[in-house]
Amino acid sequence: GLWASRQRALKNTNSLQKNREDALQEIGFQWEGSSCNAPANISYEMKWNGWLNLLKKYKSVHGNCEVPFNHFEDGRNLGLWASRQRALKNTNSLQKNREDALQEIGFQWEGSSCNAPANISYEMKWNGWLNLLKKYKSVHGNCEVPFNHFEDGRNLGLWASRQ
């Protein structure tokens, strides 16, 4: 899926954290190409803009950008995405044009009720998803998660396609 492709791209640019590379290697992650859940003609930038449009839709209905952490919009976990944008900004990893676009529509960077619980770091969440991926692999023998696959009540396929 897209998540797997992103992990490959991060590794190829020496940007994948060593502990993550090791964890993926340990479960037999395929570093060379694979089928992707997302259509090939949709760029990462187009996908990000799709999320931004969902946030604008949310704001038009609710009057703010304080998306609850587990809020889904059009079947997509907008709250998780919003939380990830905050995490990216906090680590100086959010592209300036994206930060500006979010700022322009009144995105709440801090103190928002839509943040994940304060005691759960981005790293802890990523490791939680990795554990679900390991569980999936132990049953299916691979890491190619179908887009709508749920594991322990969480949409692993959706998550994998968005990383």
Side-chain angles (χ1 to χ4, degrees), residues 27-90:
I27 64 169
F29 186 80
Q30 298 295 314
W31 293 109
E32 298 299 321
S34 179
S35 60
C36 181
N37 292 328
N41 62 340
I42 297 179
S43 71
Y44 189 70
E45 189 69 23
M46 288 173 64
K47 290 176 190 152
W48 191 91
N49 286 329
W51 283 105
L52 180 64
N53 289 332
L54 283 180
L55 182 60
K56 289 176 181 178
K57 178 180 175 181
Y58 178 91
K59 183 178 181 181
S60 73
V61 172
H62 300 280
N64 63 57
C65 295
E66 296 183 19
V67 185
F69 182 69
N70 287 318
H71 177 80
F72 281 76
E73 193 75 33
D74 293 346
R76 299 167 76 186
N77 191 335
L78 184 61
L80 180 62
W81 178 83
S83 180
R84 183 157 194 266
Q85 302 316 296
R86 288 183 191 88
L88 289 169
K89 183 178 189 290
N90 289 340

Side-chain angles (χ1 to χ4, degrees), residues 14-163:
N14 295 318
S15 301
L16 183 64
Q17 294 175 12
K18 179 71 172 133
N19 64 323
R20 291 182 177 184
E21 180 180 343
D22 291 346
L24 291 168
Q25 189 70 33
E26 183 180 309
I27 64 169
F29 186 80
Q30 298 295 314
W31 293 109
E32 298 299 321
S34 179
S35 60
C36 181
N37 292 328
N41 62 340
I42 297 179
S43 71
Y44 189 70
E45 189 69 23
M46 288 173 64
K47 290 176 190 152
W48 191 91
N49 286 329
W51 283 105
L52 180 64
N53 289 332
L54 283 180
L55 182 60
K56 289 176 181 178
K57 178 180 175 181
Y58 178 91
K59 183 178 181 181
S60 73
V61 172
H62 300 280
N64 63 57
C65 295
E66 296 183 19
V67 185
F69 182 69
N70 287 318
H71 177 80
F72 281 76
E73 193 75 33
D74 293 346
R76 299 167 76 186
N77 191 335
L78 184 61
L80 180 62
W81 178 83
S83 180
R84 183 157 194 266
Q85 302 316 296
R86 288 183 191 88
L88 289 169
K89 183 178 189 290
N90 289 340
T91 59
N92 296 317
S93 301
L94 183 63
Q95 294 175 14
K96 179 74 171 124
N97 64 319
R98 293 178 177 181
E99 181 180 340
D100 292 345
L102 290 166
Q103 190 71 35
E104 186 177 307
I105 63 169
F107 189 73
Q108 299 293 320
W109 294 107
E110 301 210 18
S112 173
S113 61
C114 56
N115 283 326
N119 62 339
I120 298 177
S121 71
Y122 182 74
E123 188 70 18
M124 287 173 65
K125 285 184 263 183
W126 192 91
N127 286 331
W129 285 109
L130 177 64
N131 288 334
L132 288 179
L133 184 60
K134 287 178 181 179
K135 182 178 178 180
Y136 177 89
K137 184 182 183 219
S138 73
V139 172
H140 301 279
N142 63 60
C143 296
E144 295 182 23
V145 185
F147 182 73
N148 289 319
H149 179 81
F150 281 77
E151 198 71 44
D152 292 347
R154 298 171 72 190
N155 192 335
L156 182 61
L158 178 63
W159 175 80
S161 74
R162 299 242 161 81
Q163 299 304 305

